[in-house]
Amino acid sequence: MTPELKARFDEAVRNNKIVLFMKGNAMFPQCGFSARALQILQQHGQVHTVDVLADPEVRQGIKEYSNWPTIPQVFINGKFVGGSDILMELEERGELAEMIAGKAP
């Protein structure tokens, strides 16, 4: 990963409360997992989305950045949370709202 790409990821994660690296965008998700993650997150506030399909370097780079092999990827308050399955579990347990509010479990 180039230093420039890492800096782009750092900036997105640092400057947005909720960041979703997804296939597609908020208006047109390109996979069911990305759509599900977006739907869950939008209940909790504004979501900054990054379309990994628009740039192969971003698609591969985010996997290196987070050390997580799949897309979508969620960052909340500057910290990597996981993918759509983890997000669903956090939502079901009521922990996602606390995490977004800065009261991480």
Side-chain angles (χ1 to χ4, degrees):
M1 174 182 344
T2 65
E4 295 81 15
L5 185 58
K6 183 182 182 308
R8 282 175 53 194
F9 292 147
D10 287 342
E11 182 179 347
V13 168
R14 183 175 49 245
N15 293 333
N16 297 282
K17 187 174 198 67
I18 304 170
V19 182
L20 175 63
F21 289 87
M22 64 183 288
K23 293 179 180 175
N25 59 52
M27 298 302 290
F28 192 61
Q30 296 285 310
C31 86
F33 294 110
S34 290
R36 186 173 352 158
L38 180 64
Q39 183 180 20
I40 291 169
L41 290 168
Q42 285 177 325
Q43 298 175 64
H44 298 280
Q46 184 167 342
V47 180
H48 176 76
T49 61
V50 178
D51 181 358
V52 301
L53 298 177
D55 185 343
E57 186 180 31
V58 169
R59 185 176 186 171
Q60 184 56 40
I62 193 59
K63 295 174 185 180
E64 295 172 29
Y65 183 77
S66 64
N67 197 28
W68 190 262
T70 60
I71 306 291
Q73 296 190 12
V74 178
F75 291 78
I76 296 174
N77 294 322
K79 294 187 171 57
F80 177 65
V81 174
S84 62
D85 290 345
I86 291 172
L87 197 63
M88 286 176 26
E89 290 174 17
L90 290 169
E91 178 72 1
E92 288 171 7
R93 293 194 306 249
E95 296 173 10
L96 184 60
E98 293 176 4
M99 184 178 287
I100 292 170
K103 306 171 191 163

